[in-house]
Amino acid sequence: MWLYFYYLNIIYVMNYRLFVILLIVLSHFTINIYSQPILLKTGWKFSKGDDMRWAATDIDDSKWQNIEVSRTWEEQGNDKYDGFGWYRVKFDMPSNIKEKSYLKDSLKFILGKIDDHDEVYLNGQLIGKNAGKNFPIGNNDNTARFTAYNIPRKYVISALHPAIKWNGSNVLAVRVYDQLGGGGMTEGECSVSMVDIIDVITLDIKSTPYRITPNNNWNKPIRLIVNSGNMTFAGIFAVEVKDIESTKTLFNVSVNANFNTQKSFVYEANIPAIENAIVSYTFAHDLSGNNISESSELPYLLTPVETDSPKINGAKIYGTRIGKPFLYKIPASGNKPMKYKVQNLPEGLILDENTGIITGIAKKQGTYKTMVTASNANGTMTREFTISIGNDIALTPPMGWNSWNCWGLAVSDEKVRSSAKAFIDKGLIDYGWAYVNIDDGWEDKRDANGNIKPNEKFPDMKALGDYLHSNGLKFGIYSSPGPKTCGGYEGSYKYEQNDANTYAQWGIDYLKYDWCAYSDIAPDAAKAFSWTNYRLSDANKKYLPDLKKPYQVMQKCLAVINRDIVYSLCQYGWGDVWTWGHETNGNLWRTTGDIEDTWSSLYRIGFSQHELYPYAKPGRWNDPDMLIVGMVGWGPNLHPTRLTISEQYTHISLWAMLSAPLLIGCDMAQLDDFTLNLLKNSEVIDINQDIAAKQAQRVFKNNNYEIYVKTLNDGGKAIAIFNVSTITQNISIKWQDYSISGYKTIRDVWRQKDMGTFGTGYDAKIPAHGCRLLKVY
């Protein structure tokens, strides 16, 4: 509730659109308009180290560091610190918060998110913990190491607990253990309050996604669930849709709701598909008068429904090194079954006419202009396709999936196969999505010969690779040049050739090579750079050889195996990697730290890439990290992305303009209709996969909007207008400002629709954090 009142206090100085966005971002919080918690946002003290006496009330922490609980401790003067840290805050606990609560038996502590593990003490007594089997985590507890780092912390104790000092001063102490990456308390949503109806009742709007119906409505089951006790509730359940900009009510319905511990209330909401609208679901309890409400932005679909006739999609060029195995699946949407033909196929390559999968080993180097045909009962399409047999691979940005942003260390063979199956069943493979990449968490120990073995979650890596390849998909793996990976598993240090040989035997097509514990091997270089201090300067230039070395070592090992492996350098942009990544034969290189599913993270990372355009070229790509759409969570607990609908269109549009690798980070088995529509726009993909390989340039920026222009291989230009402000903007662009002259046809790329011919420029009304993606020709 404190969030509700806090934002009501500032609504007078901001427009409704921003207020709505804030509500959307915070939609996982229920709202009780009667219970006011004690806020713990300020007054926190911090100390590195570990001393159990720091849990007590009488410790003098006056000389401890003042710290914010909304940012990691690394961001506040404790750069690269791993290990234990303690947070302490003092607060008064008035007994009248019990009197104002409908339920009076329990007290809850909300502590935002903590990286990685924690124990929480109230006045010296342990009241909760979130950790693995051991605390701190030991070398034999790898599977538990990161299971808690992205989970919201809520601890509940009895209102009669002896640790509570009612009407007195209390001390809350949080003992945190962090290993690798940012550490500490990170979201700042800290409070103490009575457990009330908002905790007993769950208003579930997340477990089932929106589904589009044949009559173009959104269908979504909404549930009211009693999650504790033996209680019965009655009240009114209401659904209301409002226009985000005008706040006008566009749709509403209300029904009686009766439910109890044994039987939930389920309402099938059927809502008109309306663009730029917010939908609110509210339960008003009859007896207490308390309201529980959840809100979300209503999805809207821009990509047209795919046709039954064949349409060949994806990149128009594909490359393999001479003498290496060739695998390519022709991406063609339309009704199946489908027949495929290729004219002028290089000698040594074979096409399966029923699957569209090309395999073999090309015998001669060269650039082959082929004609690809796809046919079904509804028609035929033919398109030119270039096959390059030479020295370069990844001639367009890789497209596929990576397990980390959904499963974290909980990844398994079953989850990987499920993702691959979704690629096929949901038709993403028909648009060029090809790579299925396992991130950290697959490794076990080495055998007597030094060869890495997969753990029990992956019983047969070769069989998994064969399964993927048989369906035309590519197989990706993860490792680190250090002794350990980020998750504490076996790294490749001193076993690089063993691992490269093993990857070749398994049929690996992609390697993400993550710096992580190589900091132990090159500590001086690691101290010189961080996620917030990654640029190359005169002061840290001497460490550049240390940054390059581990990637050069693996480069040499990959060069001698009989397999093409796309080489992904993951070292967070340190030392301006885009200026030297090609020297290690890297095909792509991370330019930033990890992305999260928030606008602030998307904006900070995505809109900081504009200076890197000179370094993008065929086989060499700037990588601003994976896509954060769909069900994410870093394993094993998933949630819908916190990006608004408009922000998701901006996300995909920006990555397309940046010629960035497109690696989906969500649970593929739970792809909803909106996310699938977002990922299957062939014209947006064409901009990303354009064979001219020119990253867009930022040509305009102010506080409200930014404009990017990308020159395309066909002579046209892609123009993206991004509204980075918190209100709807009317934005005008003039051709003369961007070296465009004469009358031009404007095509709305997302809607795949020509908008007409414009002589001097173009005007657009764009929602907050939204965009227009145009093609001008």
Side-chain angles (χ1 to χ4, degrees):
M1 184 206 71
W2 65 270
L3 291 167
Y4 179 79
F5 281 107
Y6 175 77
Y7 287 114
L8 279 181
N9 288 336
I10 62 173
I11 193 172
Y12 298 106
V13 294
M14 60 172 61
N15 61 82
Y16 184 76
R17 172 77 194 203
L18 175 57
F19 180 56
V20 167
I21 290 173
L22 289 168
L23 283 179
I24 293 168
V25 171
L26 298 168
S27 64
H28 59 290
F29 290 96
T30 47
I31 300 172
N32 179 333
I33 63 173
Y34 293 91
S35 176
Q36 297 190 47
I38 301 164
L39 306 185
L40 303 178
K41 292 190 67 174
T42 60
W44 288 89
K45 297 283 191 174
F46 172 76
S47 177
K48 293 187 288 187
D50 189 36
D51 189 330
M52 295 307 299
R53 292 176 297 177
W54 293 347
T57 59
D58 57 354
I59 292 297
D60 181 9
D61 57 17
S62 60
K63 295 183 180 179
W64 284 24
Q65 177 185 349
N66 295 317
I67 199 163
E68 299 176 20
V69 289
S70 59
R71 298 187 295 150
T72 64
W73 63 44
E74 279 87 352
E75 296 176 283
Q76 301 178 77
N78 303 285
D79 194 32
K80 298 185 182 301
Y81 175 69
D82 291 331
F84 278 105
W86 281 74
Y87 292 77
R88 286 169 55 90
V89 67
K90 299 175 182 177
F91 63 97
D92 293 329
M93 185 90 77
S95 61
N96 64 3
I97 68 170
K98 290 190 290 185
E99 300 164 7
K100 296 179 180 180
S101 175
Y102 181 72
L103 304 175
K104 307 179 187 299
D105 60 352
S106 299
L107 191 68
K108 68 176 178 179
F109 296 80
I110 301 294
L111 299 178
K113 292 182 180 179
I114 297 175
D115 190 352
D116 295 320
H117 300 275
D118 62 282
E119 292 178 336
V120 180
Y121 296 84
L122 179 64
N123 299 319
Q125 296 190 42
L126 180 68
I127 62 171
K129 65 184 293 184
N130 202 329
K133 292 177 291 186
N134 306 311
F135 192 69
I137 305 305
N139 290 334
N140 296 322
D141 197 17
N142 290 332
T143 58
R145 176 165 290 144
F146 287 103
T147 57
Y149 89 102
N150 203 42
I151 301 172
R153 302 302 206 267
K154 180 173 78 171
Y155 297 108
V156 177
I157 62 175
S158 168
L160 301 177
H161 196 291
I164 305 172
K165 296 182 180 179
W166 291 107
N167 296 318
S169 178
N170 292 259
V171 173
L172 191 68
V174 184
R175 182 188 184 212
V176 179
Y177 181 78
D178 172 65
Q179 182 168 330
L180 303 175
M185 301 175 68
T186 61
E187 287 205 350
E189 296 161 355
C190 301
S191 65
V192 182
S193 63
M194 297 300 297
V195 171
D196 213 324
I197 288 178
I198 60 173
D199 302 284
V200 175
I201 300 174
T202 296
L203 175 50
D204 177 16
I205 71 170
K206 297 178 181 178
S207 61
T208 306
Y210 287 97
R211 295 295 184 190
I212 198 72
T213 65
N215 59 349
N216 203 35
N217 284 343
W218 286 112
N219 174 268
K220 185 177 181 68
I222 309 299
R223 294 176 173 82
L224 286 163
I225 303 167
V226 182
N227 50 45
S228 66
N230 185 18
M231 303 181 184
T232 297
F233 293 92
I236 302 296
F237 177 76
V239 180
E240 183 179 35
V241 179
K242 288 187 175 183
D243 179 82
I244 288 179
E245 188 175 2
S246 70
T247 74
K248 179 181 177 181
T249 297
L250 305 175
F251 172 85
N252 67 82
V253 63
S254 59
V255 296
N256 292 321
N258 297 277
F259 55 104
N260 54 45
T261 308
Q262 287 73 40
K263 186 177 181 180
S264 302
F265 170 80
V266 180
Y267 181 77
E268 288 276 347
N270 285 286
I271 305 168
I274 303 169
E275 191 170 334
N276 294 325
I278 185 170
V279 56
S280 299
Y281 306 95
T282 303
F283 171 69
H285 183 220
D286 283 348
L287 293 180
S288 69
N290 289 5
N291 292 340
I292 302 171
S293 183
E294 295 271 6
S295 298
S296 67
E297 191 176 4
L298 195 63
Y300 54 94
L301 306 181
L302 297 183
T303 302
V305 176
E306 61 188 13
T307 65
D308 294 336
S309 301
K311 184 177 186 300
I312 300 173
N313 305 299
K316 296 180 180 180
I317 190 170
Y318 180 78
T320 299
R321 297 187 181 102
I322 185 70
K324 300 297 176 71
F326 188 100
L327 174 67
Y328 182 79
K329 168 73 169 72
I330 298 170
S333 57
N335 283 344
K336 305 298 188 297
M338 193 174 287
K339 290 286 188 178
Y340 305 85
K341 293 182 179 180
V342 180
Q343 296 179 1
N344 196 31
L345 197 63
E347 183 182 1
L349 301 187
I350 301 172
L351 168 70
D352 185 321
E353 294 185 351
N354 295 313
T355 64
I357 299 174
I358 305 172
T359 56
I361 297 177
K363 296 184 177 181
K364 295 182 180 180
Q365 186 168 330
T367 300
Y368 299 84
K369 300 290 185 180
T370 75
M371 297 302 294
V372 176
T373 300
S375 304
N376 65 11
N378 303 95
T380 299
M381 179 181 178
T382 298
R383 192 176 82 166
E384 184 177 272
F385 179 63
T386 300
I387 295 177
S388 175
I389 306 299
N391 298 313
D392 297 313
I393 60 174
L395 300 180
T396 60
M399 294 175 59
W401 174 82
N402 179 284
S403 64
W404 183 252
N405 282 3
C406 53
W407 299 121
L409 297 180
V411 65
S412 67
D413 179 281
E414 179 184 7
K415 292 182 173 71
V416 173
R417 288 177 185 265
S418 173
S419 296
K421 187 174 185 298
F423 264 57
I424 299 163
D425 294 347
K426 297 178 185 295
L428 285 168
I429 195 172
D430 298 333
Y431 288 80
W433 301 92
Y435 287 92
V436 178
N437 296 346
I438 305 171
D439 208 282
D440 204 357
W442 64 267
E443 310 91 332
D444 199 359
K445 302 298 182 181
R446 298 182 180 277
D447 65 17
N449 296 317
N451 297 320
I452 189 72
K453 297 296 182 182
N455 57 42
E456 68 281 357
K457 296 182 297 176
F458 292 89
D460 192 332
M461 282 291 198
K462 177 66 166 60
L464 178 57
D466 290 345
Y467 165 74
L468 296 174
H469 293 155
S470 69
N471 286 285
L473 295 168
K474 301 296 186 73
F475 187 16
I477 205 74
Y478 169 100
S479 189
S480 169
K484 297 292 182 181
T485 66
C486 285
Y489 292 85
E490 288 296 310
S492 294
Y493 183 61
K494 292 188 176 181
Y495 294 95
E496 292 85 356
Q497 193 63 64
N498 293 64
D499 288 355
N501 294 342
T502 298
Y503 300 156
Q505 294 169 9
W506 289 347
I508 296 299
D509 304 292
Y510 184 112
L511 171 63
K512 176 182 175 183
Y513 210 44
D514 198 346
W515 175 277
C516 288
Y518 195 79
S519 292
D520 297 338
I521 309 303
D524 292 337
K527 291 177 182 178
F529 298 95
S530 69
W531 285 5
T532 56
N533 180 34
Y534 58 89
R535 298 303 304 268
L536 192 64
S537 65
D538 290 338
N540 60 33
K541 190 175 296 184
K542 60 185 178 181
Y543 300 113
L544 195 53
D546 294 329
L547 295 182
K548 294 180 181 180
K549 181 178 178 179
Y551 296 100
Q552 291 169 330
V553 171
M554 181 56 83
Q555 168 198 3
K556 294 176 181 177
C557 298
L558 294 176
V560 298
I561 61 174
N562 188 33
R563 187 160 196 87
D564 280 338
I565 294 182
V566 172
Y567 191 21
S568 170
L569 315 186
C570 185
Q571 47 72 275
Y572 334 120
W574 292 1
D576 295 353
V577 62
W578 46 87
T579 64
W580 55 265
H582 65 283
E583 297 176 19
T584 70
N585 213 22
N587 300 114
L588 59 151
W589 38 76
R590 278 277 295 278
T591 58
T592 71
D594 290 357
I595 196 170
E596 296 184 349
D597 58 319
T598 64
W599 170 253
S600 60
S601 180
L602 172 63
Y603 179 79
R604 174 177 53 83
I605 287 176
F607 289 94
S608 65
Q609 306 293 303
H610 56 277
E611 296 179 353
L612 309 187
Y613 71 88
Y615 304 100
K617 58 189 65 177
R620 309 284 185 245
W621 308 107
N622 299 308
D623 178 11
D625 206 6
M626 295 168 282
L627 303 179
I628 43 173
V629 298
M631 293 291 290
V632 296
W634 292 266
N637 300 300
L638 306 184
H639 62 266
T641 179
R642 289 173 287 180
L643 297 183
T644 68
I645 301 302
S646 294
E647 289 166 358
Q648 292 180 68
Y649 279 114
T650 287
H651 181 22
I652 303 300
S653 300
L654 181 57
W655 262 237
M657 293 291 285
L658 294 174
S659 299
L662 299 178
L663 293 177
I664 303 166
C666 66
D667 179 11
M668 300 295 294
Q670 295 190 65
L671 274 179
D672 59 281
D673 288 345
F674 168 76
T675 307
L676 193 61
N677 184 268
L678 191 72
L679 298 173
K680 289 175 68 173
N681 190 302
S682 60
E683 296 190 18
V684 177
I685 292 171
D686 284 346
I687 290 175
N688 175 264
Q689 297 286 296
D690 188 76
I691 63 176
K694 294 183 181 297
Q695 179 174 319
Q697 297 184 49
R698 190 180 73 186
V699 296
F700 181 84
K701 171 183 168 58
N702 63 20
N703 291 332
N704 295 321
Y705 63 94
E706 300 186 16
I707 299 175
Y708 285 67
V709 175
K710 180 174 183 174
T711 301
L712 303 175
N713 184 65
D714 64 5
K717 293 181 184 293
I719 300 179
I721 310 169
F722 297 105
N723 178 5
V724 298
S725 76
T726 56
I727 61 173
T728 297
Q729 295 280 345
N730 292 300
I731 301 172
S732 297
I733 61 175
K734 303 299 180 185
W735 295 153
Q736 63 184 19
D737 295 334
Y738 310 112
S739 302
I740 300 173
S741 60
Y743 283 83
K744 296 294 180 182
T745 298
I746 294 290
R747 185 169 180 81
D748 186 316
V749 177
W750 276 108
R751 292 175 173 84
Q752 298 182 4
K753 179 181 179 181
D754 286 342
M755 306 300 292
T757 302
F758 297 79
T760 59
Y762 179 78
D763 298 337
K765 185 178 183 179
I766 304 177
H769 297 172
C771 71
R772 285 289 183 275
L773 183 59
L774 309 171
K775 185 175 178 182
V776 180
Y777 58 96

